[in-house]
């Protein structure tokens, strides 16, 4: 590690001033990590930090862990270290807090810089691994320092305060974005838990209420439906012996109707108005029934055993 950047008037920089002052220069690299150092600058200080982080990386590599890739965004306001896919800012090293930057001539893949942490006020050495751009990244950070120093001289120191305010606002925005991401994750977790709870508590569509109650052992006997007079409707298939009487006793069973025709003491078949037809009556009875039918058509009234064919005759 034998060269740190310096401000030279004859230095030929790689980028236009507008690219660093109005935008940023992106680089991809592998991040070995950061470690605390006792001094804000010095080649030996950086070399010890690189040796320490390399040893820790070898241990992690033997455990199967890979070196994480990062994206560096270099501008006159500082060096941002981002996750390449999500663009999440992992570290925001403000330029006025960077005190030393160098690349390693013994290992051309390694470059470092020392930055003072804004919260702990400790000096941290950041170490990176870039296969082709280690020296270029070091020169780009040096150019950003050169442009920032010129702006400081032109503004009489006011530009430094402006950059500090901008850096503070950027850090605040970063904190709010992180907090917003955490809140989104919590809301998503709560929605997932609510969805799982609703699915587990809702009954399956193919399970009926009766089946569910039987499984729970809470099936109540189904009471017979009643009519508007609170009476149980007659059903020829209903079993009357199953309905108790008001005093608690069972009614006598209704004898079943036999299909066998029974006869009286004189050997005659008993009269059954439900089974006989018009041709089954004797002639005299049939004539009386015909008279009754004719009388009903003319307005016949019944009073006891007297039949009257003329309802207007009061003597009948």
């Amino acid at each position: 590690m034998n060269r740190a950047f310096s401000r030279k008037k004859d230095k030929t920089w790689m980028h236009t001033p507008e690219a660093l002052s109005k935008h940023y220069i992106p680089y991809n690299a592998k991040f070995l990590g950061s470690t605390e150092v006792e001094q804000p600058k010095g080649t030996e200080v950086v070399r010890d930090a690189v040796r320490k982080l390399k040893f820790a990386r070898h241990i992690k590599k033997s455990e199967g862990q890979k070196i994480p890739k990062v994206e560096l965004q270099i501008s006159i306001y500082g060096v941002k270290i981002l996750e390449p896919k999500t663009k999440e800012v992992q570290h925001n090293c403000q330029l006025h807090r960077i005190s030393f930057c160098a690349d390693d001539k013994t290992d051309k893949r390694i470059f470092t810089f020392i930055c003072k942490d804004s919260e702990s006020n400790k000096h941290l050495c950041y170490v990176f691994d870039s296969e082709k751009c280690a020296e270029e990244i070091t020169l780009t950070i040096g150019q950003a320092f050169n442009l920032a120093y010129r702006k400081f001289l032109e503004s009489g120191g006011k530009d430094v305060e402006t950059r500090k305010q901008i850096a503070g606002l950027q850090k605040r925005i970063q904190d709010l974005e992180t907090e917003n991401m955490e809140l989104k994750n919590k809301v998503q977790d709560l929605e997932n838990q609510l969805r799982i709870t609703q699915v587990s508590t809702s009954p399956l569509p193919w399970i009926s209420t009766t089946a569910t109650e039987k499984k729970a052992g809470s099936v109540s006997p189904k009471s017979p439906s009643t009519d508007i007079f609170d009476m149980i409707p007659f059903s020829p298939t209903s079993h009357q012996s199953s309905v108790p009487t008001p005093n608690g006793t069972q009614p006598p069973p209704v004898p079943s109707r036999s299909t066998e025709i029974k006869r009286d003491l004189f050997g005659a078949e008993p009269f059954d108005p439900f089974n006989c037809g018009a041709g089954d009556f004797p002639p005299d009875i049939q004539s009386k029934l015909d008279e009754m039918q004719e009388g009903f058509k003319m307005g016949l009234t019944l009073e006891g055993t007297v039949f009257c064919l003329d309802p207007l005759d009061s003597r009948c």
Side-chain angles (χ1 to χ4, degrees), residues 109 117 138 143 154 159 171 189 210 216 229 249 274 309 311:
R109 303 168 57 100
D117 185 67
T138 304
Q143 184 180 2
E154 293 172 358
D159 186 64
K171 187 177 184 305
D189 293 339
T210 305
F229 300 102
T249 62
F274 297 99
L309 298 178

Side-chain angles (χ1 to χ4, degrees), residues 150-217:
R150 289 182 182 180
K151 284 184 172 292
F152 171 75
L153 295 178
E154 293 172 358
S155 62
K158 295 181 181 180
D159 186 64
V160 175
E161 296 298 328
T162 302
R163 283 190 280 113
K164 286 183 179 180
Q165 294 178 2
I166 293 175
L169 293 175
Q170 289 178 345
K171 187 177 184 305
R172 178 59 178 166
I173 292 173
Q174 178 183 348
D175 294 340
L176 291 175
E177 289 178 350
T178 303
E179 183 179 356
N180 187 29
M181 184 62 65
E182 293 177 354
L183 291 176
K184 285 183 178 180
N185 294 333
K186 290 182 179 179
V187 171
Q188 186 64 34
D189 293 339
L190 291 175
E191 290 179 353
N192 294 335
Q193 294 177 4
L194 179 61
R195 190 178 298 108
I196 294 173
T197 304
Q198 291 176 348
V199 171
S200 60
T201 55
S202 61
L204 296 177
W206 51 269
I207 299 180
S208 62
T209 305
T210 305
T212 305
E213 292 178 351
K214 285 182 179 179
K215 186 177 181 181

